[in-house]
Amino acid sequence: MTGLEEQEFDFDFLFEFNQGDEGAAAAAQEHYSYAPASIGSALPLPTPHPSLPAPCHDLQTATAGLSAVPASHSAGYGAAMDGASSGYFLSATGIRPDGAPALESPRIEITSYLGLHHSSSPFFHDVEVEDVLPGAKRPTATLSLPGLEAYRDPACLSPASSLSSRSCNSEASSYESNYSFPCTSPQTSPWQSPCVSPKTTDPEDGFPRGLGACTLLGSPRHSPCPSPRASVTEESWLGARGGSRPASPCNKRKYSLNGRQAACSPHHSPTPSRHGSPRVSVTDDTWLGSTTQYTSSAIVAAINALTTDGSLDLGDGVPVKSRKTGLEHSPSVALKVEPAGEDLGAAPPAPDFAPEDFSFQHIRKGAFCEQYLSVPPHPYQWAKPKSLAPPSYVSPSLPALDWQLPSHSGPYELRIEVQPKSHHRAHYETEGSRGAVKASAGGHPVVQLHGYLENEPLTLQLFIGTADDRLLRPHAFYQVHRITGKTVSTTSHEAVLCSTKVLEIPLLPENNMRATIDCAGILKLRNSDIELRKGETDIGRKNTRVRLVFRVHIPQPSGRTLSLQVASNPIECSQRSAQELPLVEKQSADSYPVTGGKKMVLSGHNFLQDSKVIFVEKAPDGHHVWEMEAKTDRDLCKPNSLVVEIPPFRNQRITSPVQVSFYVCNGKRKRSQHQHFTYLPANVPVIKTEPSDDYEPAAACGPASQGLSPLQRTYYGQQLAAPSDPGSCLLAGFPLCPQRSTMMPTPHSSSPKLHDLSSAAYTKGIASPTHCHLGLGQPAGEVPAVQDVPRPTALHPGAPEQPPPTMLPPQ
DNA sequence: GCTCTGGAATTATGT
DNA sequence: CCACATAATTCCAGA
């Protein structure tokens, strides 16, 4: 709350961070040989990388931009990163122009990358692009280009997405150590920074209320596409694509075969990691494994965090297709897409806002964008589109999208009053919009900021986040899609942050800081487009659950900005799942003594009389240690509810809580996501204690307990710490989920908790050395709500990483 | 004429 | 390398 506290937090955070970094760094080095030098230096790099910024189009441009901008934000981030950093950053920042060192590394990678591509040929397009660009820059530029295009813009493919989310932030988040740090980090930082930098420093000023500005710079890439789809008029796409399908598929496959490798190699060069199978990473197992890696990932994360945008993406990430599309489509894209206006990119700021926009919006855009974005004209064709890109502003100071933020702090609480339906069929770029996300009871989700008594309107940011067990972060395969039309009553504006589309919705005092979200649809990006991105480690297959993530940035008297965030319950976005797969939305109990026997009511969808409920205990390595089919009451089974008897745990003598999971199975491969459940020692009181119990045990037990992932532990701990939450924990019917239910946000077990944490809690968690060592990024996961404007960064805890073994989504 | 949808054909990917 | 199953994408058509 107060400044003091906040400061403390930050402080702690930093402190840890540093430690963490070191550790991480060390780890990283261990893992990656190349890393050492590069990493260390790299991080600092913050420098922008020319390439990055470049948004989109032009290398040149980008470059220019970079230098020009220097990266404010990078600085900020940088600081965060290196521990020492702060100082470090500063210097860097100030200096920063190019930070030679940093650049170098990136460049190198890039170059290679390019070269590879060319040679590899798979990505022809890229080549072309490059050609366009002046050779000199190429190295850097190259990267950017890809990214840009990738970005989707145009038509592309997954424009937005492509980079999507993660790029910036996430990567790190990504967690996976696999990454090629080398590549990534360097790139990332550099790039991003560039983006940010522009203005970075104070972005805030510009933003009035917290918006976020966006950024686009980074966006450059975005811009291009930003919405390509979003606005999408898909038409363009269609046209462009021609054989759209072919394209993607083809590409994809190719990639997988060649492309990927090719790509990898290049990229990899630096990094070995990525190994070709990014996909792998996703799986649970992977995670588990990765856990150890945290450190490295943490580093990466940090880096990413620092960098605002996801440079990586751009560079490598972009799939060939994208490029292609970009080239091909861009023209069209530019035209069409944006006309709509809204979407980003295209149009200049003005359009969107138009009448509706509020003054503040205008302010932002105009001012910010321009300020920050001063994007040079684009020489190249495709450049145009990009330039059009919207104005997003990135404010360096604002927390990266993959940072974990609390939902409440002091008097403020950002709450989802009406949750979205658990199913929403996302639309592809090739399709028309499938409408806005709706509430289960009809109507639309509603979000409200409580405790805000000022008269200044604020901006509510909305983006599509992940719904797996890992820390919440922008979803790489889905983007929010702005819906407009007569049926939409809520004004909104689309911006792109680090390749993640963000819908900005005004929160007005006259409306009690409450907003009905009837303007948000969900766009599905082709897996093939995203998976090819350079830093992308997540796999799209079966990764169809998302959460709506809302953020609000509240200016504080002290000049800092308090950022709050809440995530909705998970939303299944695939067509098939909506029709066949069982889905558990709620469970009447989150924990129970090992004796079992209690009836638990599951609410959700697609339950059948033949549905089976399987309880599973996984070892840290992901292997199933125990499986038990629970008894279900067929008579009470309804499509939306299922009564199951909690089976006795295999070990009746546990002394600390053991986390397991269960899922509903309708046959063969029709299984729901795993739901968390905690078995308590026989004599432990069920209800309230849970959190605490879990926590302790977890800590004590260590991995063995397995069930508890680091994250969870953290969460629990946090909860405990936070006074406020505790109550919530109990939720009437749903102990575990309390948060969900109560608070709202969190869908999956873990995340929710995070959100709830109070700042204090937050701090706490982070602070604990333990966490750091663990690598947890978890702690890091959450970031202090308040940030100094200037400081942007910091910490990014970045490291989100931590994947709890258990948590991983099963599927 | 256009958007929103539900359904389903095709294509891609994993085993 | 083929066949089969399942997931992902693209198309269609009706409201």
Side-chain angles (χ1 to χ4, degrees):
Chain A
M1 347 242 113
T2 58
L4 294 177
E5 291 182 359
E6 292 174 356
Q7 290 179 351
E8 290 181 0
F9 288 104
D10 291 351
F11 191 113
D12 290 347
F13 188 82
L14 292 175
F15 182 68
E16 276 195 348
F17 191 82
N18 293 339
Q19 292 180 344
D21 281 358
E22 290 181 275
Q29 291 179 352
E30 292 179 359
H31 295 287
Y32 311 85
S33 57
Y34 56 103
S38 57
I39 291 175
S41 49
L43 293 179
L45 305 186
T47 22
H49 222 359
S51 43
L52 298 184
C56 325
H57 346 323
D58 333 4
L59 296 181
Q60 296 176 342
T61 307
T63 311
L66 292 177
S67 59
V69 185
S72 49
H73 90 258
S74 55
Y77 291 103
M81 302 241 11
D82 297 70
S85 42
S86 47
Y88 175 66
F89 284 90
L90 294 179
S91 60
T93 309
I95 299 171
R96 168 212 148 81
D98 293 305
L103 293 178
E104 291 178 355
S105 37
R107 290 179 182 177
I108 293 171
E109 293 179 358
I110 294 170
T111 304
S112 58
Y113 172 80
L114 295 177
L116 293 177
H117 285 289
H118 294 296
S119 61
S120 60
S121 81
F123 306 93
F124 226 40
H125 305 292
D126 291 352
V127 175
E128 293 179 354
V129 172
E130 291 178 355
D131 294 350
V132 174
L133 302 178
K137 300 211 170 164
R138 209 172 247 232
T140 337
T142 312
L143 290 179
S144 34
L145 291 177
L148 296 178
E149 293 178 350
Y151 187 81
R152 272 321 32 252
D153 32 14
C156 22
L157 336 178
S158 11
S161 46
S162 42
L163 319 178
S164 28
S165 23
R166 68 183 29 293
S167 8
C168 301
N169 342 312
S170 41
E171 275 187 344
S173 53
S174 346
Y175 0 104
E176 301 219 349
S177 38
N178 298 336
Y179 280 91
S180 34
F181 287 131
C183 299
T184 3
S185 54
Q187 296 175 345
T188 323
S189 49
W191 307 44
Q192 296 181 346
S193 45
C195 301
V196 177
S197 56
K199 57 331 225 12
T200 327
T201 343
D202 20 69
E204 299 192 351
D205 306 348
F207 300 86
R209 299 297 85 235
L211 282 182
C214 144
T215 346
L216 296 181
L217 286 186
S219 31
R221 3 167 176 153
H222 305 311
S223 51
C225 359
S227 30
R229 283 165 174 302
S231 24
V232 175
T233 28
E234 328 253 357
E235 301 171 355
S236 25
W237 280 100
L238 296 180
R241 294 188 180 178
S244 55
R245 285 189 184 178
S248 55
C250 299
N251 293 337
K252 191 170 194 180
R253 287 185 179 181
K254 291 177 181 179
Y255 293 132
S256 47
L257 299 180
N258 309 333
R260 236 182 218 188
Q261 294 176 346
C264 296
S265 54
H267 303 310
H268 292 304
S269 53
T271 339
S273 54
R274 223 190 237 192
H275 56 10
S277 43
R279 300 177 179 180
V280 174
S281 58
V282 175
T283 48
D284 301 347
D285 301 1
T286 311
W287 281 106
L288 295 178
S290 56
T291 309
T292 50
Q293 301 175 341
Y294 286 6
T295 41
S296 53
S297 38
I299 295 174
V300 174
I303 295 172
N304 294 336
L306 297 180
T307 58
T308 306
D309 75 285
S311 48
L312 297 179
D313 311 354
L314 298 180
D316 301 277
V318 181
V320 174
K321 280 177 122 186
S322 313
R323 304 179 197 115
K324 193 178 183 181
T325 14
L327 295 177
E328 297 175 354
H329 303 287
S330 45
S332 59
V333 171
L335 299 178
K336 283 189 166 188
V337 174
E338 302 331 337
E342 333 223 12
D343 294 352
L344 351 162
D352 293 353
F353 304 88
E356 315 159 343
D357 296 352
F358 302 79
S359 59
F360 68 93
Q361 290 182 343
H362 288 293
I363 294 175
R364 301 193 225 144
K365 288 190 172 185
F368 287 99
C369 293
E370 295 177 1
Q371 293 178 348
Y372 296 86
L373 298 180
S374 43
V375 178
H378 332 317
Y380 311 98
Q381 303 171 345
W382 41 300
K384 283 187 177 181
K386 293 180 178 180
S387 63
L388 294 183
S392 11
Y393 335 66
V394 173
S395 69
S397 57
L398 298 177
L401 298 180
D402 59 348
W403 287 28
Q404 310 301 304
L405 304 173
S407 61
H408 64 268
S409 178
Y412 310 110
E413 177 178 3
L414 183 60
R415 192 189 302 170
I416 297 177
E417 303 294 346
V418 177
Q419 287 284 348
K421 286 173 58 176
S422 56
H423 282 119
H424 175 81
R425 181 171 163 182
H427 64 271
Y428 282 84
E429 297 173 332
T430 53
E431 296 182 305
S433 168
R434 285 187 177 278
V437 173
K438 299 175 182 62
S440 54
H444 296 275
V446 175
V447 177
Q448 184 169 9
L449 172 62
H450 295 269
Y452 180 77
L453 306 177
E454 306 297 318
N455 290 322
E456 293 279 327
L458 297 179
T459 297
L460 177 69
Q461 295 183 311
L462 163 60
F463 64 92
I464 303 301
T466 56
D468 57 30
D469 294 324
R470 292 176 287 169
L471 291 181
L472 175 64
R473 60 192 181 288
H475 205 299
F477 301 91
Y478 292 90
Q479 294 280 318
V480 65
H481 171 235
R482 182 187 178 207
I483 303 290
T484 57
K486 29 191 173 169
T487 59
V488 178
S489 61
T490 306
T491 302
S492 65
H493 167 251
E494 202 173 69
V496 177
L497 286 178
C498 300
S499 66
T500 295
K501 285 214 272 189
V502 176
L503 216 51
E504 296 179 338
I505 301 162
L507 275 181
L508 308 176
E510 51 265 45
N511 292 337
N512 294 316
M513 302 307 283
R514 182 184 179 93
T516 296
I517 315 302
D518 60 359
C519 54
I522 302 176
L523 169 69
K524 173 67 169 66
L525 300 173
R526 286 187 298 221
N527 294 337
S528 58
D529 291 340
I530 305 307
E531 293 172 350
L532 294 176
R533 294 196 300 187
K534 186 176 183 182
E536 185 57 62
T537 55
D538 274 357
I539 57 173
R541 202 158 219 252
K542 291 188 172 184
N543 185 2
T544 55
R545 296 211 308 170
V546 309
R547 282 183 281 175
L548 298 184
V549 184
F550 298 94
R551 280 189 174 187
V552 65
H553 304 289
I554 309 168
Q556 300 294 296
S558 63
R560 293 183 176 187
T561 297
L562 171 65
S563 298
L564 299 181
Q565 165 181 302
V566 296
S568 71
N569 289 337
I571 301 171
E572 172 57 57
C573 294
S574 69
Q575 174 189 17
R576 175 170 173 267
S577 295
Q579 303 176 325
E580 308 174 337
L581 299 180
L583 174 70
V584 178
E585 292 182 326
K586 295 180 182 177
Q587 56 194 74
S588 62
D590 287 321
S591 64
Y592 198 74
V594 292
T595 51
K598 179 186 176 181
K599 298 281 187 181
M600 175 168 67
V601 180
L602 304 181
S603 341
H605 298 281
N606 300 328
F607 295 143
L608 307 174
Q609 287 200 324
D610 291 334
S611 293
K612 294 179 180 179
V613 178
I614 311 296
F615 278 70
V616 178
E617 179 189 10
K618 286 184 181 179
D621 62 359
H623 289 79
H624 288 195
V625 174
W626 170 74
E627 275 194 10
M628 169 71 86
E629 179 180 340
K631 295 177 183 177
T632 57
D633 190 329
R634 291 196 170 200
D635 297 334
L636 297 178
C637 179
K638 297 177 183 178
N640 297 316
S641 67
L642 185 61
V643 177
V644 59
E645 181 178 313
I646 298 170
F649 186 56
R650 65 180 174 82
N651 180 355
Q652 298 289 306
R653 297 182 178 182
I654 60 174
T655 56
S656 59
V658 173
Q659 173 135 21
V660 299
S661 63
F662 69 84
Y663 60 85
V664 176
C665 177
N666 283 353
K668 288 186 180 183
R669 301 187 178 184
K670 297 178 182 178
R671 297 178 179 180
S672 68
Q673 291 283 321
H674 282 231
Q675 303 295 312
H676 297 294
F677 187 82
T678 303
Y679 275 110
L680 305 172
N683 49 358
V684 174
V686 178
I687 301 179
K688 270 200 164 180
T689 38
E690 279 189 353
S692 58
D693 290 346
D694 288 347
Y695 179 67
E696 292 181 354
C701 298
S705 56
Q706 164 26 145
L708 302 178
S709 60
L711 288 178
Q712 291 185 337
R713 295 177 190 173
T714 305
Y715 296 133
Y716 286 106
Q718 292 178 347
Q719 287 184 341
L720 292 177
S724 59
D725 291 352
S728 62
C729 295
L730 299 185
L731 286 188
F734 315 73
L736 288 182
C737 307
Q739 299 168 348
R740 293 179 186 176
S741 333
T742 329
M743 298 300 292
M744 64 217 23
T746 350
H748 269 348
S749 51
S750 46
S751 10
K753 295 179 181 180
L754 291 178
H755 294 293
D756 292 356
L757 300 181
S758 64
S759 56
Y762 179 64
T763 308
K764 203 178 185 182
I766 294 173
S768 71
T770 309
H771 292 293
C772 295
H773 290 298
L774 293 184
L776 313 180
Q778 298 181 346
E782 298 186 354
V783 177
V786 179
Q787 297 182 336
D788 290 346
V789 174
R791 117 180 185 297
T793 17
L795 336 172
H796 187 158
E801 294 272 28
Q802 49 251 315
T806 313
M807 318 268 304
L808 297 187
Q811 292 210 356

